[in-house]
Amino acid sequence: MAHAAQVGLQDATSPIMEELIIFHDHALMIIFLICFLVLYALFLTLTTKLTNTNISDAQEMETIWTILPAIILVLIALPSLRILYMTDEINDPSFTIKSIGHQWYWTYEYTDYGGLIFNSYMLPPLFLEPGDLRLLDVDNRVVLPVEAPVRMMITSQDVLHSWAVPTLGLKTHAIPGRLNQTTFTATRPGVYYGQCSEICGANHSFMPIVLELIPLKIFEMGPVFAL
C-alpha cells in the first residue's frame, strides 16, 4: 500500500501492474529527454548570438523535427496498445467474484461457491484494532487465492462507483444497469487496499476495498475466511 511521502507507484502484485510500471518508466524517460532537449535549445537561444544567416532555410532540420516526434509517438503508442489489449484479455478464469457498489459500501458474491454473499463496510474508528488502517480497513475482507486467474464482475445499484486496487493495476467503473468485468492474477499473498475512485456522493471517501490474498491450498478449504 501507499505510504507517506511516497513518490513512485505501489509495488506490483500482478503481471499487469508490472507492465504498467515498466511502461510508466519508459514514458518518463522519453519525457525527460524531450524536456532536456527543449531546455537546452532555449538556453542556446538565450546565450548564443544568432549571426549565421544560413540557418534561415534548413530543410534538413525541419525534416528531422517533423519525423522525430512521430517516432516518439510510435515508441509510446506500441507498448501502450499492448498493455491495453492485455488488460482486456479474459483467459478461462478459475474464480468469478461479483462486486456491487452501493452508497456507500460494497457487496460481494462468490458465484462459484453456492452464491456466498456478504457486505463490506468501512470499520469506524471506534472499532479499529491496533495495526488496523483508518479509512481503509473493512469488517469483511474479500479472500482470494494467489497464482490463479480471478474474474471480477462489477456493477452498481445506485450511482456511479469505481472498483480500484492500485497494487493490482485494477480500476473498473461500476455502472447501474451494466456489468463490467476485469481479470487479474495475484503473484504473492498479502493484504491489499483500494478505494472507490469515482465521486459517488457525500461518503465517497468511505468505500474502501480490502483483498486478502492467500495460497490456493488454504483457499480450497472454503472462502469462509471472508465472513
Side-chain angles (χ1 to χ4, degrees):
M1 61 169 293
H3 56 81
Q6 178 174 337
V7 177
L9 301 173
Q10 298 184 29
D11 293 337
T13 314
S14 69
I16 292 296
M17 189 57 188
E18 292 176 0
E19 294 288 341
L20 289 172
I21 292 176
I22 293 173
F23 174 70
H24 168 268
D25 297 340
H26 168 73
L28 201 60
M29 293 305 298
I30 294 177
I31 293 173
F32 283 156
L33 177 61
I34 293 174
C35 292
F36 175 78
L37 291 176
V38 171
L39 291 175
Y40 180 68
L42 289 174
F43 176 78
L44 291 181
T45 302
L46 295 174
T47 58
T48 304
K49 294 181 179 180
L50 302 177
T51 58
N52 190 352
T53 59
N54 293 327
I55 64 173
S56 61
D57 185 16
Q59 295 186 1
E60 294 82 2
M61 181 62 66
E62 293 180 0
T63 303
I64 291 174
W65 71 43
T66 301
I67 295 178
L68 187 60
I71 296 175
I72 293 175
L73 289 177
V74 171
L75 292 176
I76 295 176
L78 290 181
S80 175
L81 291 174
R82 174 175 170 269
I83 297 175
L84 182 63
Y85 281 104
M86 287 176 61
T87 57
D88 284 339
E89 289 182 357
I90 300 177
N91 296 322
D92 191 21
S94 300
F95 304 95
T96 299
I97 310 295
K98 185 177 181 180
S99 176
I100 305 174
H102 307 270
Q103 289 182 311
W104 288 271
Y105 64 95
W106 297 97
T107 297
Y108 297 98
E109 178 180 351
Y110 286 71
T111 58
D112 299 321
Y113 286 86
L116 173 62
I117 303 175
F118 61 92
N119 295 327
S120 181
Y121 292 89
M122 185 193 73
L123 282 177
L126 295 177
F127 292 89
L128 293 176
E129 300 289 340
D132 289 343
L133 300 175
R134 179 177 174 270
L135 300 181
L136 286 178
D137 265 304
V138 297
D139 55 356
N140 293 316
R141 294 175 175 176
V142 181
V143 180
L144 295 171
V146 297
E147 298 180 350
V150 178
R151 174 172 58 185
M152 294 295 304
M153 306 183 71
I154 301 166
T155 186
S156 172
Q157 195 174 15
D158 38 45
V159 299
L160 289 176
H161 299 282
S162 185
W163 199 85
V165 182
T167 189
L168 291 171
L170 297 177
K171 181 181 177 182
T172 303
H173 289 296
I175 303 174
R178 177 170 179 171
L179 193 64
N180 292 329
Q181 62 181 357
T182 185
T183 58
F184 67 92
T185 302
T187 55
R188 63 176 188 269
V191 179
Y192 303 101
Y193 298 88
Q195 289 179 304
C196 175
S197 57
E198 185 75 32
I199 297 178
C200 56
N203 293 330
H204 157 68
S205 303
F206 310 114
M207 287 186 64
I209 300 164
V210 182
L211 302 183
E212 184 173 348
L213 302 176
I214 60 178
L216 182 59
K217 292 182 179 180
I218 300 177
F219 182 84
E220 288 176 345
M221 298 169 57
V224 295
F225 308 96
L227 299 178

